[in-house]
Amino acid sequence: MNAQERLARLVPSGASSAARTPFALLLVLIMGTGLLALLLLNSSLNQGSFQKDQWEKETNELTDEQQALQEEVDRKSAPDALERRARELGLVPGGDPAFLFPDGRVRGSASPAPEEPKAPKEPEEEKEKP
């Protein structure tokens, strides 16, 4: 037996498709898994985008509400609104203040309120509707 015959017995001479089939199936499986992963990633990103849009809408609504509340606080904190509300509750201006020092001295002169407070009215906001 010469060297060529021994070599021919070790290496098959015909083309074998049996060895290529598992490799091709492996490639198809890898590509299918990759496509499925991309599909899931795309779906997840779309869902995140919808959630982001919803949060932005909610943020805008809350910002508008906050601005409206701040305007209401500013309107009710204005000096003329505070004075009107105080008069509705029967309060009167205090006049000039008098100061007491720790040693008992008094600076200024205290005087009573210029008029007696009227009976407090029920505020319009708190009145019940019939």
Side-chain angles (χ1 to χ4, degrees), residues 17-115:
S17 65
R20 291 184 187 163
T21 303
F23 180 70
L25 287 175
L26 178 66
L27 287 179
V28 168
L29 182 67
I30 289 173
M31 289 173 62
T33 304
L35 288 175
L36 184 63
L38 286 174
L39 178 65
L40 291 174
L41 178 64
N42 190 21
S43 297
S44 175
L45 288 175
N46 284 339
Q47 184 179 3
S49 176
F50 289 133
Q51 186 70 32
K52 178 182 163 255
D53 290 342
Q54 181 183 0
W55 286 340
E56 285 178 352
K57 182 181 176 185
E58 186 177 341
T59 299
N60 289 337
E61 290 172 358
L62 290 174
T63 300
D64 291 344
E65 183 180 350
Q66 179 188 15
Q67 289 175 351
L69 291 172
Q70 186 62 45
E71 288 174 6
E72 183 180 351
V73 166
D74 292 342
R75 188 177 65 248
K76 289 185 176 184
S77 297
D80 59 336
L82 289 174
E83 180 185 8
R84 184 178 63 251
R85 180 74 175 127
R87 289 196 185 276
E88 288 174 358
L89 294 173
L91 301 176
V92 293
D96 293 329
F99 299 98
L100 298 175
F101 292 101
D103 62 358
R105 291 182 297 133
V106 178
R107 180 176 182 187
S109 61
S111 60
E115 59 183 53

